[in-house]
Amino acid sequence: MNTPAGYQQYEKSKILTASPAELTLMLYEGAIKFANIAVMAIEKAHNNIRKVERIIEEFQATLNRKYPVAKDFDDVYKYLQQKLLEANIKKDKDIMEEVLRHLRTMRDTWKDVMRLSKTQGK
């Protein structure tokens, strides 16, 4: 049975005994492996950011515009859409963290509204 330590020792031995040509090949193989992982991560990030954008589009479409607060929500949604586009183009984790902070705040406020509505309905 191979252990992680045994595998690491084997890999280290393989590198130490490889010819310069074999080392170059190993580096190409490593670069291709990590590039493939990056491509998959970028695709996954893009697809998930697009899902967030579609959810925010739904929020915007269902705003009840007869209330003045709807404009404020729409402004926030537009801002989030702009940040999501920027995050998707740049693949920027910090921008996504900012979007998450806003969404969590809005979710928590919504939970409070639901709780108040439930207690006032009794």
Side-chain angles (χ1 to χ4, degrees), residues 24-57:
T24 300
L25 179 60
M26 286 181 208
L27 290 172
Y28 276 120
E29 294 293 342
I32 290 167
K33 172 186 171 184
F34 295 119
N36 278 326
I37 291 169
V39 166
M40 289 187 312
I42 288 170
E43 284 179 15
K44 199 171 197 177
H46 171 78
N47 291 340
N48 285 296
I49 290 171
R50 287 294 300 138
K51 288 176 185 178
V52 177
E53 288 174 331
R54 287 192 293 274
I55 290 169
I56 291 175
E57 288 168 3

Side-chain angles (χ1 to χ4, degrees), residues 67-85:
Y67 298 105
V69 73
K71 171 141 178 31
D72 296 332
F73 275 96
D74 193 48
D75 290 343
V76 171
Y77 294 145
K78 286 177 185 173
Y79 175 78
L80 292 177
Q81 290 283 26
Q82 182 257 327
K83 296 310 276 184
L84 287 165
L85 179 62

